[in-house]
Amino acid sequence: PPLGGAVHGSWRFGRTFGLDASLYQPLDAEHRWFVEPRATAQRSIEDIFIDGDSVARYRFAHAWGSLDVGRVFSNRMELRAGLRAGGQTVEREIGTPDLPEISGEGYGGLTMRYAYDSRDRNTLWQSGTLARIEYFRGVEALGAVQEYDRVEGVAETVVPLRDNVMYLRASGGASFDSELPIYDTFTL
């Protein structure tokens, strides 16, 4: 029997402009196991602050391909692991000349992501919780200029207030004392 599958894509524009395309392909009839190749390209403008003062503005650009293999648990949880490889650039638009720039360097590594999603719908949801945690390990053999570790997580839930709802969100990350490249630092 056919296993189905889905082509996913997105387009973002504004201070962050990007394109994503992927093919989600189940590997078994129960749709428990899957593979998902993806291509991503993005440009963004980011302001850098120190002690609340804007000190620089950067233009970040990246493009990469990835391949994930994963497992779905019930209809709410997913665990995936994969490989990512591509390139990054970081151009300083405003700021002193001693601030770093990257004219182009490799980007690659291993990824692992866990997601839990009990929302009743994707947008303007009225009940449920969304939680994600993603780990990335920069690996020189996959194109990274340096090896580093990065983990980032987010949790969101909805709180009913009579006929309305309030969304609560918490997020954070860690680098486990490894030095992150400027393009993979955390943003507020």
Side-chain angles (χ1 to χ4, degrees):
L3 299 177
V7 174
H8 297 194
S10 67
W11 174 40
R12 296 170 303 285
F13 55 93
R15 282 180 69 103
T16 299
F17 174 83
L19 298 167
D20 291 304
S22 69
L23 171 64
Y24 182 90
Q25 180 61 59
L27 297 175
D28 62 340
E30 293 80 22
H31 291 204
R32 291 182 299 214
W33 294 93
F34 65 89
V35 63
E36 186 170 19
R38 172 183 307 272
T40 298
Q42 179 172 298
R43 291 183 62 92
S44 66
I45 298 172
E46 304 289 341
D47 294 317
I48 308 297
F49 293 87
I50 296 177
D51 296 327
D53 296 324
S54 178
V55 296
R57 173 171 291 161
Y58 278 94
R59 182 176 303 275
F60 291 86
H62 66 248
W64 66 67
S66 63
L67 178 65
D68 289 347
V69 175
R71 170 82 159 79
V72 175
F73 302 91
S74 72
N75 61 351
R76 297 186 177 191
M77 292 182 286
E78 171 185 288
L79 180 64
R80 61 172 63 208
L83 305 170
R84 185 182 300 166
Q88 305 270 1
T89 63
V90 179
E91 299 170 6
R92 185 184 56 254
E93 287 190 345
I94 300 172
T96 62
D98 59 327
L99 293 172
E101 285 190 296
I102 298 170
S103 62
E105 71 180 32
Y107 176 75
L110 306 171
T111 64
M112 184 171 282
R113 186 174 82 182
Y114 169 79
Y116 172 82
D117 189 350
S118 65
R119 298 175 299 169
D120 59 346
R121 54 185 171 234
N122 286 336
T123 58
L124 301 175
W125 37 292
Q126 302 293 306
S127 67
T129 298
L130 172 65
R132 288 191 191 119
I133 187 164
E134 183 166 356
Y135 170 77
F136 179 80
R137 167 100 176 134
V139 176
E140 291 178 7
L142 292 172
V145 172
Q146 69 188 58
E147 295 201 357
Y148 63 96
D149 297 292
R150 182 182 195 281
V151 66
E152 187 171 24
V154 63
E156 297 179 81
T157 192
V158 65
V159 177
L161 296 170
R162 297 187 189 168
D163 294 334
N164 300 305
V165 295
M166 177 174 60
Y167 298 101
L168 299 178
R169 178 184 174 127
S171 61
S175 63
F176 306 108
D177 293 327
S178 61
E179 185 178 337
L180 296 177
I182 189 170
Y183 50 76
D184 239 350
T185 57
F186 299 102
T187 59
L188 296 176

